[in-house]
Amino acid sequence: MKFTAKRSRLAEVSTLVGQAVAGKSTKRVYECIRLTASDQGLEIAGTDLELAARYSLTDEIQVKEAGEVVVPAQIFTGVLREIGDETVSLSSSQRKLTLETDGGKFELECEDPEQFPEIPVFPSESTCRMAAADLRALVRKTVFAAGKEAARFVLNGVRVSIEGEALRFVACDGRRLSTLCRPIELSGESAGGERVALVGLKGLQHFDRLAAEVDGAVDLAIADRFVALRTKGAEAVVRVLDGSFPNHHEIIPDEVALEATIPVGRLQSCLRQVAPFTTLESQAVVLTFSSGELRFSAGGGEGRADIRLGIDFEGDEVRIGFNPGFMLDALKNVDGESIRFGFNNSRAAARITDDAGMLYVIMPLIVE
Amino acid sequence: MDAFYASVEQRDHPELRGRPVIVGGPKDARGVVSAASYEARVFGVHSAMPLRNAARLCPDGAFVRVRMKQYAEVSRQVFAVFARYSPLVEPLSIDEAFLDMTGCERLFGGPVEAARGLRADIRAEVGLTASVGVAPNKFVAKIASDLEKPDGLVVAPREGLEEFLAPLPVSRMWGVGPRGAEALKRVGISTFAELAQASSRTLRAAFGSSAERLQDLARGRDARAIVTARGPKSIGHETTFSQNIRDRDELFAVLVALADQVAARVRRHGLKARTIQLKLRYAPFQTVTRRVTLDSPTCGSAPLIDASRALLDRHLRRGAEIRLLGVSVSGFSAQATLFAGSERECPEVDSAVDQIRAKFGTAALRRGSVVKR
């Protein structure tokens, strides 16, 4: 194998694929990426056996001799990032990859390509096409609400489903939930009905990185055992998680008795001002809604904060307490100048909706 | 309150008055002394001492069982009196509290008058004696209250606190136990005055970061505020067996009863807990604690019992003899959850059981697994 490539692009792509690879593994081959050079260009592939990624480089590369090597991802990408040259030349013989620049030479010990795990291909059945920006919005506006504790495993994933002509993501950690829907175009042999998969965060974050590389559309497939993404030049396949996601339809409040439109920036600022006053014993920031005004209060034995914000609200005074972190998480990921905040009473789920169609459901902290 | 549990016993049982009373259980029982009357203390009996040692020191003492419900009721009466004297009451234990008297001068004519009134009211209404310390801060007040027990009133001077404390032995210091006192003695310190004057370098070498705080306290400096209505940090129950238990079924039955009691108390406080801790003491006095944290906080008996059982099942060594078993919960949170908690949670059942037990006593209703076969 022998080729020259633009150093910066090769570094970018290797890093991207390298993120799918296990950082530390009992077998060295699992810490590697595979480079395959052919007359079509260079393909870089990697997997941690949960997530597999492959990326094809066709521009900015000259293949002089076809071939295949399996190199340790960390060293390879590390070297490529650090050297300053415009172009690099790579060649392999036996189990050795030589990387030559103007200033020097690096030799990497490689693994046996026969031992490299199989990289699954993008399936033809059940695919849909959507805007890359929409996929990115789905990831950004939901994954933050997913569970982070190992105890309730299914909540550590995001529920991904095709509902008619739309793709829906739902993430929930048991105390808050975030969901968003984006339009899709069905293609392939997509049968009718809902297709559902539970996908881990690492896979979705990888999808997001691949989608960030393109402007146009991406293809997504939901198969029985895995979910796959294809962009111009790249593919990623992630194994789905076992287990059934709890019924989220039941917990999303259909109707709210009280609703207020609140500017995002002001709301964030108020929450950040009072949040430091919450304590282990009084964890809540209490929101008190009254006509034309929203009060934020927090604190206990070690100090108190109490601030007011003029808002558009009509109704009797009503109080509801929240973990301020759960509110701020959502506000970081909303779009538009203001959000709509709706709720029924101080003990039931409240909801935040934004201009981009995001629905965030948050359970209160019960305050007397 | 002075020798609180023992004094309640003497109040309720006139035949015990003037006699050494040891609260904790029969003299041949396992377990420890919960309280000793002043008559018993003369013999060297003190709380936390094994009952058998107490029996050796004071063979003619009256050994009585703990009647926690009664003490809690008397405590409630005492705290009701406290509440009349100050809106800022920081409970320290079942029979001790700090009262912030700032701004109450016009009501009672100064803190000393208030202290006299308080003591008289407790004696008249509850029939027990209380010792009071009056001081500009919590630390000195606590020390002053201990100085002339029982039935004492000690007023620390607002000016010259350091001189007031100077002659006292460091063992009087709150938080300095026998070990701490010994460590201080090793660096040549046995009184407050010596501690106050010790070089900070010597102290830091012996006590690290807490040296400065110790020295401040020795000089009577303490800026801590009165903290009212502090919620519990943990709720637990434990039991020492009269005979070591080896039988697994029997251990699990005790565990279920303990976890059930803990759950009921969590509900009574209107709390939900996430962390469950199991405490096991093996026969050779080796104590282990093991804990688990649930997905979402709960106050249900069933999920708390499940979690406790799972802990015991995982951590109980085969064939080991157990001397003490305990369950406690912590990590209280008022965070509501999206899903109806664990499927094992049956709030209606728990609430019905709580009501029945409140009316007919805790023994009125028991779990099947607790009933001896």
Side-chain angles (χ1 to χ4, degrees), chain B residues 40-343:
Chain B
R41 291 184 194 187
V42 174
F43 293 89
V45 177
H46 58 78
S47 50
M49 165 186 281
L51 281 167
R52 286 174 187 174
N53 293 6
R56 212 171 304 130
L57 292 170
C58 184
D60 298 326
F63 285 76
V64 298
R65 283 183 195 284
V66 178
R67 291 188 300 148
M68 208 56 219
K69 222 173 176 177
Q70 171 70 352
Y71 310 147
E73 171 55 25
V74 178
S75 165
R76 205 188 49 71
Q77 294 166 8
V78 172
F79 274 81
V81 177
F82 291 165
R84 291 210 301 266
Y85 279 85
S86 170
L88 295 177
V89 177
E90 177 179 339
L92 196 58
S93 67
I94 192 168
D95 67 330
E96 272 178 300
F98 290 114
L99 278 68
D100 188 341
M101 301 307 292
T102 312
C104 302
E105 296 85 353
R106 305 263 303 260
L107 280 173
F108 309 105
V112 182
E113 281 65 37
R116 289 202 184 102
L118 183 71
R119 278 162 34 81
D121 284 2
I122 290 174
R123 184 192 294 269
E125 292 170 37
V126 189
L128 295 174
T129 62
S131 294
V132 177
V134 180
N137 61 51
K138 291 197 326 192
F139 173 72
V140 182
K142 164 78 177 158
I143 288 186
S145 75
D146 284 339
L147 285 180
E148 286 183 18
K149 263 178 173 292
D151 204 11
L153 170 60
V154 175
V155 181
R158 187 171 280 276
E159 304 298 325
L161 271 187
E162 200 168 337
E163 291 73 30
F164 169 78
L165 296 171
L168 300 176
V170 283
S171 55
R172 282 273 184 198
M173 189 174 255
W174 204 17
V176 173
R179 274 192 205 174
E182 204 152 286
L184 282 164
K185 203 169 183 183
R186 251 178 272 131
V187 289
I189 296 170
S190 53
T191 65
F192 273 57
E194 285 161 359
L195 180 55
Q197 283 150 18
S199 92
S200 51
R201 193 187 294 168
T202 322
L203 276 182
R204 215 170 302 133
F207 296 94
S209 55
S210 57
E212 209 165 299
R213 167 124 189 91
L214 272 178
Q215 202 154 29
D216 272 348
L217 291 178
R219 291 172 180 149
R221 293 179 199 156
D222 176 25
R224 285 170 304 168
I226 300 280
V227 182
T228 57
R230 184 182 286 163
K233 288 196 168 64
S234 72
I235 291 178
H237 272 298
E238 59 182 50
T239 184
T240 303
F241 303 122
S242 51
Q243 283 189 340
N244 295 342
I245 300 188
R246 196 196 289 267
D247 183 71
R248 274 180 83 88
D249 290 344
E250 205 177 333
L251 278 173
F252 275 95
V254 174
L255 182 80
V256 167
L258 287 171
D260 199 16
Q261 278 177 51
V262 170
R265 270 179 65 201
V266 173
R267 290 194 289 272
R268 209 176 310 140
H269 279 93
L271 297 170
K272 288 186 170 201
R274 272 190 84 189
T275 302
I276 292 114
Q277 179 166 288
L278 172 77
K279 182 171 171 187
L280 273 178
R281 182 168 295 152
Y282 291 99
F285 252 98
Q286 179 209 10
T287 308
V288 294
T289 57
R290 294 289 180 264
R291 52 169 57 200
V292 66
T293 297
L294 304 176
D295 290 335
S296 52
T298 183
C299 62
S301 281
L304 289 174
I305 288 172
D306 288 351
S308 316
R309 291 173 73 124
L311 278 172
L312 184 60
D313 190 47
R314 194 169 330 137
H315 298 293
L316 179 63
R317 288 204 298 260
R318 280 176 168 277
E321 282 193 24
I322 301 298
R323 196 185 159 86
L324 173 151
L325 188 62
V327 176
S328 65
V329 297
S330 56
F332 299 120
S333 167
Q335 174 68 52
T337 53
L338 281 162
F339 308 108
S342 136
E343 283 153 22

Side-chain angles (χ1 to χ4, degrees), chain A residues 74-109:
Chain A
Q74 272 193 2
I75 306 178
F76 184 66
T77 56
V79 167
L80 282 175
R81 275 199 300 264
E82 282 308 313
I83 54 184
D85 299 55
E86 184 95 357
T87 56
V88 287
S89 303
L90 288 93
S91 59
S92 71
S93 67
Q94 307 279 325
R95 293 274 198 85
K96 200 164 276 178
L97 177 72
T98 309
L99 192 155
E100 272 176 279
T101 68
D102 290 346
K105 186 169 144 183
F106 302 87
E107 278 184 358
L108 281 80
E109 286 297 323

Side-chain angles (χ1 to χ4, degrees), chain A residues 22-256:
Chain A
K24 268 274 168 274
S25 175
T26 46
K27 277 179 86 174
R28 192 161 177 260
V29 70
Y30 294 145
E31 298 168 15
C32 290
I33 53 176
R34 182 180 68 195
L35 311 180
T36 312
S38 67
D39 49 8
Q40 329 239 300
L42 179 72
E43 185 199 79
I44 306 178
T47 180
D48 65 354
L49 304 181
E50 294 291 325
L51 168 67
R54 67 168 89 219
Y55 206 109
S56 300
L57 264 181
T58 47
D59 305 334
E60 299 160 324
I61 185 149
Q62 287 85 44
V63 176
K64 291 170 185 144
E65 197 184 308
E68 190 172 52
V69 286
V70 170
V71 293
Q74 272 193 2
I75 306 178
F76 184 66
T77 56
V79 167
L80 282 175
R81 275 199 300 264
E82 282 308 313
I83 54 184
D85 299 55
E86 184 95 357
T87 56
V88 287
S89 303
L90 288 93
S91 59
S92 71
S93 67
Q94 307 279 325
R95 293 274 198 85
K96 200 164 276 178
L97 177 72
T98 309
L99 192 155
E100 272 176 279
T101 68
D102 290 346
K105 186 169 144 183
F106 302 87
E107 278 184 358
L108 281 80
E109 286 297 323
C110 296
E111 295 294 311
D112 180 5
E114 293 289 312
Q115 300 295 314
F116 194 73
E118 194 188 333
I119 302 290
V121 292
F122 190 82
S124 57
E125 84 271 18
S126 196
T127 63
C128 63
R129 175 159 292 197
M130 67 190 305
D134 279 344
L135 179 70
R136 299 203 68 202
L138 284 171
V139 174
R140 175 173 66 90
K141 289 163 94 79
T142 57
V143 291
F144 72 90
K148 278 151 202 81
E149 290 153 19
R152 205 163 178 182
F153 188 69
V154 291
L155 294 183
N156 296 355
V158 174
R159 183 184 188 274
V160 174
S161 60
I162 293 175
E163 297 173 0
E165 303 271 301
L167 182 69
R168 177 177 291 283
F169 276 29
V170 186
C172 172
D173 71 357
R175 294 156 297 182
R176 38 56 182 285
L177 171 151
S178 190
T179 183
L180 182 69
C181 226
R182 276 290 175 263
I184 52 169
E185 247 176 68
L186 294 171
S187 58
E189 303 162 22
S190 333
E194 215 191 44
R195 285 203 77 94
V196 184
L198 192 59
V199 187
L201 301 193
K202 184 180 176 189
L204 292 177
Q205 276 150 357
H206 199 75
F207 284 7
D208 182 56
R209 288 191 204 104
L210 294 184
E213 294 258 308
V214 292
D215 293 325
V218 296
D219 293 323
L220 191 88
I222 301 183
D224 288 339
R225 306 293 308 279
F226 53 86
V227 172
L229 178 79
R230 182 170 60 200
T231 70
K232 186 175 171 293
E235 280 179 26
V237 177
V238 58
R239 193 195 292 262
V240 301
L241 305 174
D242 288 329
S244 60
F245 200 78
N247 187 348
H248 59 285
H249 299 295
E250 276 178 8
I251 54 183
I252 297 174
D254 297 326
E255 299 209 336
V256 287

